[in-house]
Amino acid sequence: MMKIERGARRTAKPDIFISHSSKDKKSAVHLAKVLNFCSVDVWLDDWELEVGQSLTDEISKAMDESRYIAILITENYNKTVWTKAEYKKALAREQKEQRTVMLPLVIGEAVVPDFLEDKIYIDLRKDFYKGVVHLVGMIHGISRFRISEALNDYEPQNVGDIWRLLQSIG
């Protein structure tokens, strides 16, 4: 597993920024830990922000530097000013860069909001570990075909299974 620097000492640009409602902190931290275990460098506010830093500046910088921005869609996501600003920033970046930047991830009792209705999303409600395999595979550049074939042969039941499955396909 790779060593990831956190906070002001960060030496690499993150693979993914997790945009989430503060009411969903527990789910965001759980997902971030699983992704870290799978060698995905996650930017999560609780892990990165240090006393005295500007919340607005640091989040904006992290969103600009991260390869992807995960939108953790829950029943709480679209109810705060912060999350609305974050998804608007992600959409603007996606349009500017003309590539997929925003990765919608659905958890809990969420209804997919209108601004994401035409996007393919990963549903972590039904099979969390299978969804994580798809997400990690995308971030690491493994083809959807290879991931689908591997998942047809074996369904992961825990984080260790995800790691073994991904190692077996590349």
Side-chain angles (χ1 to χ4, degrees):
M1 195 171 356
M2 68 181 177
K3 184 176 188 284
I4 299 170
E5 295 294 334
R6 297 274 173 234
R9 293 176 305 281
R10 176 179 275 284
T11 57
K13 293 184 178 181
D15 292 316
I16 195 165
F17 173 97
I18 298 180
S19 174
H20 64 284
S21 165
S22 60
K23 292 178 181 176
D24 300 314
K25 182 65 69 183
K26 186 176 177 181
S27 296
V29 169
H30 174 68
L31 176 62
K33 285 179 180 180
V34 170
L35 292 174
N36 264 176
F37 184 81
C38 296
S39 294
V40 173
D41 185 358
V42 178
W43 196 99
L44 186 67
D45 54 357
D46 277 11
W47 296 351
E48 305 291 342
L49 296 173
E50 296 182 4
V51 174
Q53 289 182 314
S54 164
L55 185 64
T56 306
D57 291 348
E58 293 302 316
I59 287 176
S60 181
K61 178 181 172 189
M63 289 183 77
D64 288 342
E65 291 182 347
S66 297
R67 283 179 37 217
Y68 298 103
I69 298 168
I71 305 293
L72 204 56
I73 303 298
T74 65
E75 54 276 8
N76 301 310
Y77 187 80
N78 210 20
K79 295 179 182 176
T80 69
V81 174
W82 280 102
T83 55
K84 286 179 184 176
E86 288 174 2
Y87 80 69
K88 287 178 183 175
K89 184 171 178 61
L91 281 172
R93 183 169 158 211
E94 200 165 80
Q95 290 172 346
K96 178 183 173 190
E97 295 180 15
Q98 294 293 300
R99 69 175 188 91
T100 300
V101 172
M102 182 188 297
L103 306 177
L105 310 174
V106 181
I107 64 170
E109 299 300 316
V111 174
V112 177
D114 293 343
F115 73 90
L116 291 174
E117 67 184 16
D118 73 326
K119 288 197 167 282
I120 295 171
Y121 57 87
I122 295 175
D123 192 337
L124 298 175
R125 297 173 292 191
K126 295 175 186 161
D127 193 336
F128 177 80
Y129 297 110
K130 194 173 183 178
V132 170
V133 169
H134 283 286
L135 178 61
V136 172
M138 179 185 176
I139 290 168
H140 287 310
I142 301 170
S143 76
R144 286 184 57 91
F145 172 76
R146 287 176 52 207
I147 294 216
S148 294
E149 288 295 304
L151 287 171
N152 284 337
D153 295 336
Y154 182 75
E155 287 198 28
Q157 302 298 313
N158 56 51
V159 180
D161 287 349
I162 292 172
W163 183 251
R164 285 186 286 282
L165 182 78
L166 290 169
Q167 282 184 315
S168 73
I169 59 176

